[in-house]
Amino acid sequence: MRMHSHALFVLLLCSLLVGAATAEPSRELTYKDCHPDDKAVLLAFPDSWSSSWAPDTLCCDWFAVACDRSTGRVVGFSVFQDPSFTGTIPSTIAGLTHLEDLFLHHLPGLSGPIPPAIGKLANLSRLEISWTGVSGPVPSSLGKLKKLTQLDLSFNSLSGAIPVSLRTIPGITLSRNRLSGAIPQMFLSESAGQDVYLDVSHNNLTGAIPAAFAAVNFTHLDLSRNGLTGDASGLFGRGKELQYIDLSRNAFDFDLSGVVVLPEKLFHLDLSHNAIHGSIPAQVVDVANLLAFNVSYNRLCGPVPTGRNMARITRWWYSYVDQFDCIDVSGSRIVLK
């Protein structure tokens, strides 16, 4: 009986070892190789994108590809500073349904439009296509990406209007393109409760900024080097989270004194090259973190505030003092026409 029990134990142990050995390749496949559907999508990419990939190798180890090691799904695709990376962005990229991050940066050989099909990547949280030759409009379909928190389409040749559909994305960089028209009235209107980063500088935008911007919780706002007009005083105010604002080289026209209250956390303010009038707010001396201040090339008059934090930032306006229409420095009024 003892011999029989011992034989059964040995047989059971052997079967467990064999089972473990046969299960190991399957576990390894799940851990290293991407999902077959994702692999098929990747292999259908243009040759300039996929030439370094061997079909019989593990695609989670391929250049530019990042996988979720527990599921094998492709969650990231990133290419940086590769001059050999050419062609257009394939619409089939929408087949990577679990993609969370897509980065295409500093690729001068990348051209053509941004395919609207990218709007089908429901899990995408970060999208960057920057410093490339892509052109055409910003796809309105990007507004369907409800998980998207960061959108960077800077330094391209994009044209047309800013889609109002982007109103829910809290981090947007569209600088250095050829975008035109007015900023949509409902743009960023659904960002309530979120800190918002917006950079649309160096474009051809015109018209007034949306009145609703006064209620947006901007932390970083750059509207510089456009053709924007009207009153931008609503962007300021006590209690706002605004830290960086650049409205330079537009045609804004409002009274800087009086209703304008600088936010307490502000460290960078550039209002130069506009048609802003009034005087420099005395409160500027109390903005403790203010490091950069430029209000040159406007229509300001009156005394330059002194004291407290002004010693470290006087270089920002004394360098430009001869560009004011009139300004009172150390009791002496200087009138410049």
Side-chain angles (χ1 to χ4, degrees):
M1 183 69 178
R2 179 178 296 178
M3 291 289 293
H4 181 67
S5 299
H6 180 71
L8 285 175
F9 174 76
V10 172
L11 183 61
L12 178 61
L13 181 60
C14 289
S15 65
L16 288 173
L17 291 173
V18 170
T22 55
E24 183 66 18
S26 176
R27 186 194 69 81
E28 195 70 16
L29 179 64
T30 302
Y31 181 76
K32 284 189 175 180
D33 205 13
C34 64
H35 192 279
D37 291 348
D38 293 347
K39 191 170 188 176
V41 171
L42 292 170
L43 289 173
F45 279 1
D47 290 343
S48 61
W49 291 41
S50 59
S51 59
S52 65
W53 302 338
D56 57 347
T57 59
L58 301 173
C59 62
C60 286
D61 294 333
W62 288 352
F63 166 74
V65 177
C67 293
D68 181 328
R69 294 296 185 176
S70 63
T71 64
R73 303 310 301 241
V74 172
V75 294
F77 190 87
S78 305
V79 185
F80 298 87
Q81 296 183 323
D82 186 350
S84 65
F85 199 82
T86 61
T88 59
I89 304 172
S91 296
T92 53
I93 200 169
L96 298 176
T97 55
H98 290 257
L99 200 63
E100 299 173 7
D101 299 315
L102 175 57
F103 295 104
L104 302 172
H105 174 71
H106 216 295
L107 306 172
L110 190 64
S111 60
I114 298 174
I118 288 182
K120 297 178 181 179
L121 295 170
N123 290 297
L124 204 62
S125 63
R126 294 184 296 176
L127 171 61
E128 177 177 339
I129 304 171
S130 62
W131 293 80
T132 75
V134 300
S135 58
V138 177
S140 60
S141 61
L142 299 182
K144 299 177 182 178
L145 302 174
K146 301 307 179 184
K147 294 183 179 181
L148 193 64
T149 59
Q150 296 179 29
L151 174 64
D152 185 349
L153 302 179
S154 60
F155 288 86
N156 294 301
S157 297
L158 299 172
S159 58
I162 297 175
V164 67
S165 61
L166 305 184
R167 59 184 175 270
T168 63
I169 304 171
I172 298 178
T173 304
L174 301 174
S175 58
R176 304 273 181 169
N177 280 288
R178 301 171 185 172
L179 301 175
S180 58
I183 300 175
Q185 283 300 313
M186 299 304 292
F187 188 54
L188 299 176
S189 60
E190 296 181 20
S191 63
Q194 302 181 81
D195 291 342
V196 174
Y197 181 110
L198 177 64
D199 184 351
V200 293
S201 62
H202 293 80
N203 278 287
N204 301 313
L205 301 173
T206 56
I209 61 174
F213 269 19
V216 176
N217 194 34
F218 289 110
T219 57
H220 180 113
L221 178 61
D222 193 343
L223 306 179
S224 63
R225 294 179 182 268
N226 282 286
L228 299 169
T229 59
D231 187 355
S233 61
L235 298 172
F236 302 93
R238 193 177 307 279
K240 292 194 174 185
E241 296 295 315
L242 192 62
Q243 300 172 34
Y244 181 108
I245 182 167
D246 189 345
L247 305 182
S248 64
R249 297 182 183 273
N250 281 286
F252 288 117
D253 184 355
F254 60 92
D255 188 347
L256 187 61
S257 53
V259 298
V260 173
V261 178
L262 302 180
E264 296 85 345
K265 297 181 180 180
L266 194 66
F267 71 83
H268 182 105
L269 173 66
D270 191 345
L271 303 179
S272 63
H273 294 270
N274 281 287
I276 300 169
H277 55 277
S279 59
I280 299 172
Q283 178 229 351
V284 70
V285 303
D286 296 319
V287 182
N289 297 321
L290 193 61
L291 298 175
F293 184 88
N294 190 349
V295 291
S296 63
Y297 294 89
N298 278 290
R299 300 173 182 172
L300 298 171
C301 290
V304 175
T306 59
R308 289 190 280 281
N309 69 356
M310 298 306 295
R312 70 172 182 267
I313 58 174
T314 50
R315 66 184 184 275
W316 281 89
W317 40 43
Y318 283 110
S319 299
Y320 301 102
V321 68
D322 61 340
Q323 305 304 328
F324 287 101
D325 285 332
C326 58
I327 197 160
D328 187 348
V329 183
S330 302
S332 299
R333 178 165 295 279
I334 302 173
V335 180
L336 299 165
K337 299 296 183 183

